[in-house]
């Protein structure tokens, strides 16, 4: 039911993830954070089993920090993505992590990088990517409207179009999406992009995007 989205632009990467934590058909919380900062210019977005998500993401996060402390420099997005894939592959035949992820960041040259990985440890570098059932709607929209070297405003408009498509076509109501931009100047946290649809009366108000409260 989860949804991760990644888009590369001229010198930045946009990562978006839904805020819904669910088990089976039950919505547990509406403010779940699925993005983990690996450095000041790199983010990993993770979906999958709730326990594996936190366990795997924090393992990668702390090991990259340990590497920096030992060697005195940070891994590039390419190196970090390959390390992340290696950890998935090594665990695959013993105690696999049931996670799918996107790793986005800016290389030392200033070029953006976005890596798509699944729970089977396959990895590919993409200009745009998506995980979850929402990807069935998102990827077709990206194919139609994505273009290389997009500006930030153009990429954000495309992201909003993709989220709108998910909200209008997907049977599950996703409350809102957390959005971050990774650029040469670091990580910028944007306001959540609210989804459309109704909000259940028993969902805590502090966990609901303000625009959704106004519509409820």
């Amino acid at each position: 039911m989860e949804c991760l989205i990644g888009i590369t632009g001229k010198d930045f990467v946009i990562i978006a993830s839904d805020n819904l934590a669910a088990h089976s058909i039950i919505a547990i919380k509406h403010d779940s954070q699925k993005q983990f900062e690996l450095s000041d210019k790199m983010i990993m977005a993770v979906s999958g089993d709730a326990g594996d998500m936190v366990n795997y993401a924090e393992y990668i996060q702390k090991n990259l920090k340990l590497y920096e402390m030992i060697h005195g420099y940070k891994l590039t997005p390419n190196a970090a993505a390959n390390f992340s894939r290696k950890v998935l592959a090594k665990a695959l035949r013993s105690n696999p992590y049931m996670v799918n992820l996107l790793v986005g960041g800016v290389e030392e040259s200033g070029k953006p990088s976005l890596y798509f990985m699944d729970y089977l440890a396959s990895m590919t570098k993409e200009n745009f990517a998506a995980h979850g059932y929402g990807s069935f709607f998102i990827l077709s929209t990206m194919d139609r409207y994505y273009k290389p070297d997009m500006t930030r405003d153009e990429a954000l408009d495309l992201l909003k179009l993709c989220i709108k498509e998910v909200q209008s076509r997907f049977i599950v109501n996703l409350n809102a999406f957390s959005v971050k931009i990774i650029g040469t100047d670091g990580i910028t946290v944007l306001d959540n992009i609210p989804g459309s649809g109704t909000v259940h009366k028993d969902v805590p108000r502090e966990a609901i995007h303000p625009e959704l409260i106004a519509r409820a």
Side-chain angles (χ1 to χ4, degrees), residues 178-197:
S178 297
V179 183
K180 294 181 181 179
I181 298 180
I182 311 101
T184 54
D185 55 347
I187 296 172
T188 304
V189 181
L190 303 183
D191 292 336
N192 286 359
I193 297 178
S196 59

Side-chain angles (χ1 to χ4, degrees), residues 1-4 47 100 116 130-139 170:
M1 301 300 179
E2 297 164 302
C3 187
L4 307 178
S47 66
N100 300 300
F116 173 99
H131 274 298
Y133 284 115
S135 65
F136 291 105
F137 312 106
I138 293 167
L139 294 178
F170 191 33

Side-chain angles (χ1 to χ4, degrees), residues 19 33 106 110 126 149 177 179 182 186 195 197:
N19 295 341
Q33 291 300 316
V106 177
E126 300 290 349
D149 298 329
F177 283 74
V179 183
I182 311 101

Side-chain angles (χ1 to χ4, degrees), residues 10 15 17-18 36 41 85 87 112-113 125 134 136 142 149 167:
K10 185 176 182 180
I15 298 289
S17 59
D18 74 277
F36 298 80
K41 295 182 181 179
R85 195 209 70 81
V87 172
S113 296
K125 185 178 181 180
F136 291 105
M142 294 280 196
D149 298 329
Q167 287 294 334

Side-chain angles (χ1 to χ4, degrees), residues 81-113:
N82 278 279
F83 172 71
S84 302
R85 195 209 70 81
K86 180 183 176 182
V87 172
L88 283 175
K90 188 174 181 180
L92 192 58
R93 289 172 177 81
S94 55
N95 189 22
Y97 294 103
M98 300 305 294
V99 295
N100 300 300
L101 54 140
L102 299 176
V103 176
V106 177
E107 303 286 351
E108 293 179 352
S109 62
K111 293 184 178 180
S113 296

Side-chain angles (χ1 to χ4, degrees), residues 16-214:
S17 59
D18 74 277
N19 295 341
L20 175 67
H23 178 71
S24 184
I25 62 171
I26 302 172
I28 298 173
K29 58 187 297 189
H30 294 265
D31 59 351
S32 176
Q33 291 300 316
K34 302 172 184 177
Q35 299 182 29
F36 298 80
E37 295 186 9
L38 303 183
S39 74
D40 57 345
K41 295 182 181 179
M42 183 165 41
I43 285 178
M44 172 187 288
V46 190
S47 66
D49 178 81
D52 283 353
M53 282 172 55
V54 176
N55 189 15
Y56 174 80
E58 289 189 350
Y59 179 83
I60 298 298
Q61 195 177 44
K62 304 310 178 186
N63 271 273
L64 292 187
K65 186 62 178 178
L66 178 62
Y67 187 95
E68 179 187 349
M69 293 171 65
I70 292 174
H71 298 281
Y73 61 91
K74 301 175 183 178
L75 288 179
T76 64
N78 177 268
N82 278 279
F83 172 71
S84 302
R85 195 209 70 81
K86 180 183 176 182
V87 172
L88 283 175
K90 188 174 181 180
L92 192 58
R93 289 172 177 81
S94 55
N95 189 22
Y97 294 103
M98 300 305 294
V99 295
N100 300 300
L101 54 140
L102 299 176
V103 176
V106 177
E107 303 286 351
E108 293 179 352
S109 62
K111 293 184 178 180
S113 296
L114 176 64
Y115 295 89
F116 173 99
M117 273 176 269
D118 65 12
Y119 71 100
L120 295 174
S122 64
M123 182 179 79
T124 180
K125 185 178 181 180
E126 300 290 349
N127 290 324
F128 57 83
H131 274 298
Y133 284 115
S135 65
F136 291 105
F137 312 106
I138 293 167
L139 294 178
S140 59
T141 304
M142 294 280 196
D143 281 335
R144 174 64 180 83
Y145 295 105
Y146 177 83
K147 59 183 180 182
D149 298 329
M150 299 180 78
T151 65
R152 293 195 179 196
D153 288 340
E154 289 174 335
L156 281 172
D157 287 342
L158 177 56
L159 175 64
K160 291 175 182 178
L161 181 61
C162 290
I163 292 174
K164 180 180 178 181
E165 207 51 37
V166 170
Q167 287 294 334
S168 62
R169 301 292 182 182
F170 191 33
I171 193 172
V172 176
N173 177 37
L174 300 177
N175 178 29
F177 283 74
S178 297
V179 183
K180 294 181 181 179
I181 298 180
I182 311 101
T184 54
D185 55 347
I187 296 172
T188 304
V189 181
L190 303 183
D191 292 336
N192 286 359
I193 297 178
S196 59
T198 59
V199 178
H200 194 276
K201 63 181 178 63
D202 294 329
V203 176
R205 292 179 70 86
E206 60 270 17
I208 305 172
H209 192 282
E211 289 190 23
L212 288 179
I213 294 176

